[in-house]
């Protein structure tokens, strides 16, 4: 079963487009867990136990584990193994925003899909097609390409006007200089082309940019999107759900981290968000 099939099954089973970000911060996790040996892992287990029937995916961001060195990374490994053992039907997305020159990307891909054994990874398209291709070659995995990120600085470069170049696999096809569009739309068009061949592409679009989300949905009517930025980053689930879904009222994973995992009642909060998304999708 490939990543998209796995995702579609769990979306239906849990009737949910909610993805929870497992981004543990030792300064924020409850005191009683800090006393335990593997407090990050224990914190994640608490969240997973309370939410596994409410989600369509879990997304650990590797920064929150790397920050604690090998001890942190070993707890990421334990978290992945825990989910794979107790909830094998739930996809795990490694949020690492990787990609490098080809031979290094090959190693990043091997690390994500081999060692970490996750179902999908986030990647950064700045280095171009040859930096993404080593990930795309894992056809049963999901490759989630940054398109328009949720942060305020997304405007700095991603909104720049460029003359569109489409990489069709055989090489780059650039339109005349006078034709321009924002870089993020050019990325979206490229990802749609890549997906025709590899069939495992997804895109990241921040919930903080609902107008851009709408434009990207037009370019990629059938693609799955990862939409972060709800809650702590002030993106609104209602708006993003209305404009972002595909014709089947699906096609999105809404990632929420802090505003669920640090809520005193994570299950209640996750359930509320799941229901809001379902009401507006
Ligand atoms: P909260 O802001 O706590 O909900 O967490 C957001 C998570 O999504 C973090 O792990 C971010 O790194 C990630 N993220 C964004 O916030 N914005 C993006 O544009 C892309 C991502 C991502 O790729 O997941």
């Amino acid at each position: 079963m490939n990543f998209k099939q796995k995702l579609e099954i769990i979306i239906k089973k849990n009737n949910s487009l909610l993805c929870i970000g497992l981004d543990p911060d030792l300064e924020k996790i409850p005191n009683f867990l800090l006393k335990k040996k593997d407090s990050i892992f224990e914190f994640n287990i608490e969240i997973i136990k309370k939410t596994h029937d409410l989600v369509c995916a879990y997304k650990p961001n590797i920064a929150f584990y790397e920050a604690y060195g090998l001890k942190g990374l070993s707890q990421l490994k334990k978290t992945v193994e825990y989910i794979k053992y107790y909830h094998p039907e739930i996809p795990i997305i490694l949020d690492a925003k990787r990609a490098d020159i080809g031979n290094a990307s090959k190693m990043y891909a091997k690390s994500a899909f081999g060692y970490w054994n996750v179902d999908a990874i986030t990647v950064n398209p700045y280095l171009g097609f040859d930096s993404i291709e080593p990930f795309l070659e894992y056809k049963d995995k999901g490759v989630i390409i940054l398109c328009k990120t949720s942060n305020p600085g997304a405007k700095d470069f991603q909104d720049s006007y460029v003359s569109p170049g489409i990489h069709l696999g055989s090489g780059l096809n650039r339109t005349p200089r006078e034709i321009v569009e924002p870089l993020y739309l050019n990325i979206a068009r490229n990802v749609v082309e890549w997906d025709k061949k590899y069939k495992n592409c997804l895109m990241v679009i921040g919930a903080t940019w609902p107008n851009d989300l709408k434009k990207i949905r037009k370019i990629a009517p059938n693609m799955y999107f990862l939409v972060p930025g709800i809650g702590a980053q002030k993106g609104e689930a209602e708006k993003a759900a209305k404009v972002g879904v595909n014709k089947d009222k699906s096609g999105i994973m809404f990632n929420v981290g802090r505003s669920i995992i640090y809520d005193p009642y994570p299950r209640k909060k996750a359930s509320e968000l799941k229901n809001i998304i379902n009401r507006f999708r």
Side-chain angles (χ1 to χ4, degrees):
M1 191 190 318
N2 67 32
F3 174 71
K4 279 189 213 168
Q5 289 165 332
K6 188 169 178 180
L7 183 60
E8 271 160 16
I9 291 172
I10 191 77
I11 285 176
K12 286 208 179 97
K13 181 175 173 236
N14 284 351
N15 185 28
S16 176
L17 299 182
L18 181 68
C19 163
I20 293 189
L22 296 174
D23 297 350
D25 176 346
L26 286 181
E27 288 178 16
K28 292 188 184 148
I29 74 179
N31 271 336
F32 79 97
L33 289 174
L34 285 178
K35 290 180 196 127
K36 302 208 173 187
K37 184 173 153 263
D38 285 333
S39 37
I40 290 175
F41 174 57
E42 299 288 344
F43 176 69
N44 286 345
I45 293 184
E46 287 282 311
I47 300 292
I48 295 162
K49 278 187 180 159
K50 287 175 181 154
T51 58
H52 62 88
D53 58 334
L54 301 173
V55 301
C56 67
Y58 286 112
K59 182 181 74 67
N61 181 324
I62 200 163
F64 291 83
Y65 302 84
E66 270 176 12
Y68 303 108
L70 294 178
K71 200 165 181 287
L73 288 170
S74 78
Q75 294 179 77
L76 171 58
K77 187 70 182 158
K78 282 186 175 179
T79 303
V80 170
E81 281 167 355
Y82 178 92
I83 298 169
K84 293 248 164 213
Y85 187 80
Y86 288 102
H87 306 290
E89 72 287 5
I90 303 181
I92 306 171
I93 300 165
L94 184 67
D95 185 5
K97 301 183 180 68
R98 296 282 197 241
D100 198 332
I101 60 166
N103 68 326
S105 264
K106 210 170 160 184
M107 287 305 191
Y108 274 140
K110 188 175 173 183
S111 153
F113 301 136
Y115 179 72
W116 291 109
N117 194 20
V118 294
D119 301 288
I121 184 171
T122 56
V123 296
N124 186 335
Y126 193 72
L127 274 77
F129 177 73
D130 59 337
S131 73
I132 304 296
E133 197 178 19
F135 296 93
L136 298 175
E137 277 162 0
Y138 288 80
K139 290 203 167 163
D140 57 334
K141 302 292 187 177
V143 183
I144 313 180
I145 298 145
L146 298 181
C147 178
K148 175 83 189 240
T149 57
S150 62
N151 55 318
K155 285 189 283 194
D156 298 351
F157 303 123
Q158 295 162 28
D159 285 0
S160 306
Y161 277 78
V162 297
S163 64
I166 304 289
H167 200 295
L168 298 168
S170 51
L172 187 69
N173 228 338
R174 193 172 289 288
T175 52
R177 274 175 194 276
E178 354 14 298
I179 303 172
V180 287
E181 69 177 355
L183 176 61
Y184 75 87
L185 287 183
N186 187 211
I187 291 169
R189 275 186 231 287
N190 272 278
V191 176
V192 168
E193 284 304 319
W194 303 345
D195 192 53
K196 284 182 191 160
K197 179 169 176 197
Y198 293 96
K199 306 195 186 323
N200 58 356
C201 298
L202 296 86
M203 277 188 270
V204 174
I205 301 119
T208 44
W209 312 108
N211 293 336
D212 298 342
L213 177 58
K214 199 172 168 183
K215 286 184 209 156
I216 299 164
R217 177 52 83 198
K218 277 203 182 130
I219 292 174
N222 302 315
M223 193 171 286
Y224 271 90
F225 297 163
L226 173 67
V227 175
I230 288 168
Q233 298 179 53
K234 309 260 185 304
E236 293 170 39
E238 296 87 333
K239 274 193 192 160
K242 263 190 198 165
V243 299
V245 289
N246 64 14
K247 65 173 181 356
D248 301 325
K249 312 279 175 218
S250 179
I252 289 201
M253 291 175 277
F254 290 94
N255 180 80
V256 184
R258 286 166 287 180
S259 58
I260 291 179
I261 65 176
Y262 302 121
D263 191 277
Y265 303 100
R267 181 172 175 82
K268 186 165 166 272
K269 184 76 186 182
S271 176
E272 276 168 18
L273 278 166
K274 174 193 141 173
N275 292 336
I276 290 174
I277 293 163
N278 280 348
R279 203 172 328 128
F280 285 88
R281 68 158 140 149

